Amino acid sequence: MTTATQAETMGFQTEVKQLLQLMIHSLYSNREIFLRELISNAADACDKLRYEALDNDALYGNDSELRVEIEHDAEAGTVTVRDNGIGMSRDEVIQNLGTIARSGTAEFLQQLSGEKQKDAKLIGQFGVGFYSGFIVSDEITVRTRRVDQEQGVEWHSRGEGEFDIADIDKPERGTEIVLHLKEDAKEFADAERLKHLVRTYSDHIEVPVRMPKVEKAHDEEGNEIEGSETVTWETVNEATALWVRPKEEISDDEYKAFYKHVAHDFSDPLTWSHNKVEGTLEYTSLLYVPGRAPFDLNQREGVRGLKLYAQRVFIMDDAEQFLPLYLRFMKGVVDSKDLSLNISRELLQKDPQVDKLKSALTKRSLDMLKKLAKDEESYQTFWNAFGNVLKEGPAEDFANRDKVAELLRFSSTHTDSATQDQSLAGYVSRMKEGQQKIYYLVADGFNAASHSPHLEIFRKKGIEVLLLHDRIDEWLMSHLTEYDSKSLVDVAKGDLDLDEMADEEEKKAQEETAKAKAPLLERVKTALGDEVQEVRITHRLTDSPACVVLSEHDMGYQMRRLMEAAGQPLPEVKPILELNPEHGLVTRLESADDSRFDDLARILLDQAIIAEGGHLEDPATYVQRLNKLLSS
Ligand code: ADP
Ligand code: MG
């Protein structure tokens, strides 16, 4: 019957071997999820066939009723999951069931620690998929035939280092997966158990999931008649697409289970929003905010997008046209009434309907986040996972800039904690009387930010400053110049104008100091020459002797480093050196003789640059100068 030709044994990709071991070890207590994963794949395979058959009916042959079947054999200890979906070619089998073709896999595996619970979470985040079959099986056989090929393929493995692959005859298209259960997993070869699992995890799958029901005829006395078994197939899941059903009838558990199917995630979503829209634009959307970041979130070209249906027919996974990049963490389904069934990725880009859907779904997502923000704890979970992505919003989506701004969270001198949990609205509500601007500081890390000399005057006056310490922050702020009609001001740039809050006396005193110190400033400028744009008396410092500031329109240090790393040539910027006349070092400078004066002035400049997180071009000379001064 089976003419196995071209049999060969192949090794799993190293990453698969690692993943298999870790998964079996850490997912033991969740092992029932194997069934969900296999049904999910079977349903996807049916969706794909339905899509390919849209313009080629003949693919169905005489079997157009797509379905998933689950059978078991308690004696043999096997469970079989079968579908009449698209099937796989030999190459696809080798690719899909022998490798992990996702970028970042090696990095992901490195994060695993061997600690069961932690790893279980991480692996869930990675997506367990087909390989989860090995949590319950010591052997798996896959028989499959791609709909457009004549040759069937059999894949067989014990989940150790390798798998066998051979050509087989397989008259029916689609895929059959036979799990040979491990001794301690034989409990799954049980009709009630399987039925229960299907209802728990796969109720929402649109394709019917069927199980055999064996019935026997009875004689007149009510005894079973030997050999009279008839098998009927019973659909055990709900088998309607979840998003088509009325909201009121869908339980939270069903929403969560569906999320796991569409998002290939393992843990619960934070929130979701299910909407049917009628009118000029007709669509149904079911959007989810995941509870944690997938491992490849930061790769802007990584997997993203919604699952697209048109009139309930699956069209494609990862349709990225429906949401902007900065919302790439959103998961879910969009089912449009208006899109044509044979739309391709290329056509999607040009379809005006898609733009309308995009702006509607963007708005919907931002509203969901706004609602989520009312629950501080959940929102913090969201922010920790996706805040850095959302920060791309103001640059990417001008129209929704204000909405995104409401959703941002920062560290601040209000709490002096590295946790980013302060909103701009909160800042505004705490503004001092007379304060008209929102102040922020950008640094490379939280400590560098919270210890920056630029904060001295603000701390003294009790004015709050947002402490921005993510790589993307300066870029964010270059696109977010206003909030609630208040400008956002970098405290390390420009001529800090706290005048609005300084009293008259203070102002007068400052002017007088500036006048009195004019000769000193002149002398420092001469000593430093071209290295600085200007030397002036500070309004910022109370404890430090000096700081460097940039002109208002100069690019900040963080952004410079980003651009330099990207190989962008940048014009040189010269800092402004500000001196604190109250400080002992500055008084010493004033009375220093010429030779010491130069050294001292340079040290002040270099130190100010270091405090800023900047790099000295000639650190060795700085150290020499300092040592000279210290030992004299
Ligand atoms: P994912 O479903 O997240 O892509 P899986 O490990 O579950 O990852 O499956 C890997 C791939 O194997 C699928 O993307 C699909 O191409 C293929 N595959 C798995 N099961 C089937 C099936 N029953 N029919 C057709 N292809 C399948
Ligand atoms: Mg899968």
Side-chain angles (χ1 to χ4, degrees):
M1 184 190 87
T2 302
T3 50
T5 53
Q6 278 206 42
E8 56 183 312
T9 299
M10 301 178 82
F12 281 122
Q13 184 194 21
T14 321
E15 284 87 344
V16 176
K17 278 187 267 181
Q18 282 174 291
L19 183 71
L20 276 172
Q21 277 193 349
L22 287 159
M23 197 170 59
I24 293 165
H25 172 75
S26 55
L27 292 184
Y28 183 82
S29 53
N30 291 310
R31 58 195 186 146
E32 61 193 36
I33 55 111
F34 78 91
L35 193 64
R36 174 186 82 201
E37 294 298 325
L38 298 184
I39 294 176
S40 177
N41 286 347
D44 286 347
C46 292
D47 270 351
K48 284 178 198 160
L49 175 61
R50 188 184 293 143
Y51 180 64
E52 287 209 358
L54 280 176
D55 50 4
N56 184 8
D57 256 2
L59 285 178
Y60 285 128
N62 56 9
D63 182 12
S64 61
E65 199 188 318
L66 295 169
R67 63 191 179 271
V68 179
E69 291 173 354
I70 299 175
E71 279 187 281
H72 71 281
D73 180 338
E75 246 163 76
T78 58
V79 170
T80 300
V81 178
R82 186 184 304 122
D83 66 70
N84 60 350
I86 195 156
M88 284 178 274
S89 66
R90 187 186 179 99
D91 287 347
E92 285 170 331
V93 170
I94 294 170
Q95 175 71 22
N96 293 332
L97 312 185
T99 65
I100 305 175
R102 295 166 69 182
S103 56
T105 302
E107 290 88 324
F108 160 75
L109 287 164
Q110 270 167 12
Q111 292 174 34
L112 297 170
S113 59
E115 208 183 303
K116 263 188 198 182
Q117 276 198 323
K118 241 175 94 193
D119 287 354
K121 276 195 173 161
L122 278 167
I123 290 174
Q125 171 182 13
F126 184 79
V128 283
F130 168 79
Y131 298 112
S132 65
F134 283 108
I135 311 174
V136 293
S137 320
D138 43 26
E139 220 178 299
I140 297 181
T141 308
V142 178
R143 296 189 191 91
T144 184
R145 181 172 68 80
R146 203 180 144 76
V147 65
D148 51 5
Q149 300 198 349
E150 290 188 359
Q151 185 62 65
V153 185
E154 181 174 288
W155 178 101
H156 171 262
S157 173
R158 296 180 174 278
E160 285 156 2
E162 52 193 34
F163 59 88
D164 305 313
I165 188 158
D167 287 348
I168 55 164
D169 278 340
K170 188 174 184 304
E172 330 76 43
R173 67 162 188 263
T175 304
E176 173 177 273
I177 297 175
V178 184
L179 306 173
H180 304 264
L181 299 172
K182 288 180 185 169
E183 210 43 59
D184 66 358
K186 291 272 195 308
E187 59 183 90
F188 290 107
D190 174 83
E192 287 315 307
R193 184 74 196 271
L194 291 169
K195 221 181 262 182
H196 177 71
L197 289 178
V198 172
R199 293 213 176 109
T200 310
Y201 291 120
S202 310
D203 216 22
H204 58 268
I205 300 276
E206 193 182 8
V207 242
V209 177
R210 309 198 315 189
M211 286 176 63
K213 194 170 164 188
V214 182
E215 275 169 323
K216 289 181 181 166
H218 294 90
D219 62 20
E220 277 156 23
E221 281 150 42
N223 299 318
E224 293 175 350
I225 302 172
E226 274 296 308
S228 71
E229 291 94 0
T230 50
V231 176
T232 49
W233 288 91
E234 184 190 24
T235 298
V236 283
N237 65 334
E238 179 90 16
T240 36
L242 183 92
W243 66 92
V244 178
R245 292 164 50 197
K247 276 202 245 192
E248 312 77 64
E249 286 175 17
I250 307 175
S251 71
D252 285 2
D253 282 342
E254 287 178 288
Y255 276 121
K256 288 177 189 169
F258 184 66
Y259 165 76
K260 290 172 186 168
H261 169 63
V262 283
H264 300 254
D265 192 359
F266 190 79
S267 54
D268 288 339
L270 276 179
T271 182
W272 57 86
S273 169
H274 181 189
N275 297 281
K276 281 181 203 187
V277 178
E278 280 161 13
T280 47
L281 196 63
E282 292 205 18
Y283 69 94
T284 301
S285 62
L286 174 50
L287 300 177
Y288 290 93
V289 179
R292 56 181 185 201
F295 73 104
D296 54 359
L297 176 73
N298 286 324
Q299 299 168 346
R300 283 166 65 95
E301 62 294 337
V303 178
R304 64 190 188 95
L306 302 175
K307 213 171 162 126
L308 174 65
Y309 288 75
Q311 299 151 54
R312 309 242 325 259
V313 177
F314 167 78
I315 305 292
M316 66 182 80
D317 279 314
D318 315 321
E320 74 273 10
Q321 292 83 354
F322 295 93
L323 284 171
L325 255 173
Y326 73 96
L327 294 174
R328 61 183 174 276
F329 49 82
M330 299 292 297
K331 297 285 176 200
V333 166
V334 53
D335 186 348
S336 157
K337 265 243 165 72
D338 310 308
L339 289 176
S340 105
L341 286 177
N342 46 29
I343 193 149
S344 63
R345 265 177 214 276
E346 294 67 46
L347 285 174
L348 268 184
Q349 252 143 30
K350 292 178 211 140
D351 195 310
Q353 292 288 345
V354 174
D355 280 341
K356 285 186 202 149
L357 273 165
K358 182 175 177 178
S359 77
L361 295 172
T362 301
K363 188 171 171 299
R364 184 89 61 203
S365 305
L366 294 174
D367 286 347
M368 277 170 83
L369 293 176
K370 188 173 168 186
K371 220 161 143 194
L372 184 68
K374 291 188 182 140
D375 170 0
E376 277 179 29
E377 199 185 318
S378 299
Y379 195 72
Q380 203 57 44
T381 306
F382 161 76
W383 183 261
N384 295 342
F386 303 112
N388 268 350
V389 177
L390 201 66
K391 281 178 181 175
E392 295 171 15
E396 187 184 353
D397 189 356
F398 190 81
N400 287 305
R401 213 174 35 167
D402 293 343
K403 281 199 174 141
V404 178
E406 293 288 352
L407 296 169
L408 299 174
R409 295 293 180 272
F410 301 104
S411 299
S412 147
T413 55
H414 177 60
T415 50
D416 262 323
S417 137
T419 312
Q420 300 178 19
D421 56 2
Q422 302 300 313
S423 66
L424 290 169
Y427 181 104
V428 168
S429 72
R430 291 184 294 268
M431 278 170 57
K432 302 271 282 190
E433 210 174 295
Q435 184 182 345
Q436 281 156 26
K437 293 169 188 154
I438 298 171
Y439 295 102
Y440 68 89
L441 174 88
V442 187
D444 276 343
F446 174 73
N447 285 333
S450 74
H451 298 141
S452 166
H454 291 294
L455 295 178
E456 289 170 6
I457 187 71
F458 290 90
R459 292 205 190 270
K460 186 175 160 210
K461 287 184 180 281
I463 300 171
E464 182 174 349
V465 179
L466 301 174
L467 304 175
L468 278 48
H469 50 92
D470 274 336
R471 262 168 66 93
I472 188 180
D473 283 339
E474 191 175 337
W475 186 68
L476 161 68
M477 292 324 246
S478 68
H479 293 92
L480 191 72
T481 48
E482 232 186 63
Y483 171 79
D484 193 15
S485 350
K486 294 167 183 67
S487 46
L488 288 136
V489 175
D490 184 340
V491 300
K493 281 187 187 173
D495 195 4
L496 190 65
D497 180 15
L498 290 174
D499 280 0
E500 61 207 47
M501 276 168 296
D503 52 46
E504 282 306 312
E505 255 171 67
E506 232 175 359
K507 267 195 217 171
K508 240 198 192 142
Q510 277 170 1
E511 275 163 28
E512 271 166 25
T513 325
K515 225 183 259 166
K517 300 292 173 188
L520 171 67
L521 300 179
E522 199 47 56
R523 213 173 145 205
V524 176
K525 173 77 177 99
T526 317
L528 298 176
D530 270 358
E531 286 175 51
V532 294
Q533 243 182 79
E534 190 191 336
V535 181
R536 65 189 184 204
I537 290 295
T538 188
H539 295 185
R540 300 168 210 255
L541 303 175
T542 61
D543 302 329
S544 303
C547 68
V548 284
V549 300
L550 295 173
S551 302
E552 208 166 324
H553 301 292
D554 279 342
M555 191 181 285
Y557 294 110
Q558 194 186 41
M559 188 101 112
R560 284 190 78 83
R561 273 197 291 282
L562 271 183
M563 311 232 355
E564 272 162 8
Q568 289 261 3
L570 293 170
E572 216 187 324
V573 284
K574 301 211 185 303
I576 296 162
L577 180 67
E578 291 194 354
L579 297 177
N580 175 5
E582 314 285 314
H583 197 279
L585 267 182
V586 178
T587 351
R588 265 179 77 184
L589 181 67
E590 247 182 316
S591 55
D593 61 41
D594 277 350
S595 70
R596 278 170 62 94
F597 187 92
D598 276 18
D599 281 342
L600 207 47
R602 274 172 192 278
I603 285 173
L604 282 176
L605 174 63
D606 286 350
Q607 284 188 339
I609 292 173
I610 293 173
E612 204 65 29
H615 298 288
L616 297 183
E617 265 167 41
D618 184 2
T621 307
Y622 163 73
V623 173
Q624 276 168 16
R625 277 201 192 102
L626 191 64
N627 289 344
K628 194 168 124 197
L629 267 176
L630 286 173
S631 55
S632 65

